[in-house]
Amino acid sequence: MPARSSPKRERQYEHIRGGAEKRGTSERRAEEIAARTVNKERACSGESKSASKTSTEDPESAPQRGGRRSHSGPGGPTKDQLYQKAKKKNVEGRSSMTKGQLGKALGR
């Protein structure tokens, strides 16, 4: 965290870092996630000296977006990612399904 960050951002950083560690993320990775998230929030609210275009033009903050952009690339999640989710949900016939069929079976 930058030395001149507000108490609110410090609390936010600690909250995000603690949550990531509770989910089993390594300490180093949890710190990185928390720092990136807080820095993005600082950029959105004009608290930082510089900011990327997406930070300033995003209509919503990261917590409000709730992962809406994750895996939204050209094809969304990969077939392997869909297969792993289907495996966790015990979808029958998943081994012979196509990517589209896996997506439908998972309700996408």
Side-chain angles (χ1 to χ4, degrees):
M1 286 295 302
R4 58 189 177 278
S5 60
S6 69
K8 175 184 176 181
R9 297 299 180 204
E10 291 288 341
R11 287 191 310 271
Q12 184 182 30
Y13 172 84
E14 291 300 325
H15 179 73
I16 294 168
R17 185 180 60 81
E21 287 178 352
K22 278 184 185 175
R23 289 189 304 274
T25 307
S26 71
E27 185 178 339
R28 188 172 179 158
R29 179 70 177 142
E31 289 173 356
E32 180 183 350
I33 291 167
R36 286 174 185 244
T37 304
V38 171
N39 286 338
K40 171 102 179 185
E41 293 299 316
R42 289 178 65 234
C44 287
S45 61
E47 296 172 30
S48 63
K49 289 182 182 177
S50 62
S52 69
K53 188 176 181 180
T54 56
S55 292
T56 56
E57 293 182 6
D58 238 352
E60 303 173 315
S61 67
Q64 291 169 331
R65 250 190 342 269
R68 263 184 252 152
R69 287 199 310 244
S70 62
H71 301 299
S72 60
T78 64
K79 181 180 178 185
D80 188 51
Q81 290 169 328
L82 292 171
Y83 179 82
Q84 293 304 321
K85 285 186 180 184
K87 188 175 180 180
K88 284 182 183 177
K89 292 187 175 186
N90 284 333
V91 175
E92 290 190 29
R94 63 184 175 268
S95 62
S96 61
M97 289 183 180
T98 64
K99 180 180 175 182
Q101 290 169 331
L102 284 167
K104 276 187 178 178
L106 292 168
R108 294 191 179 259

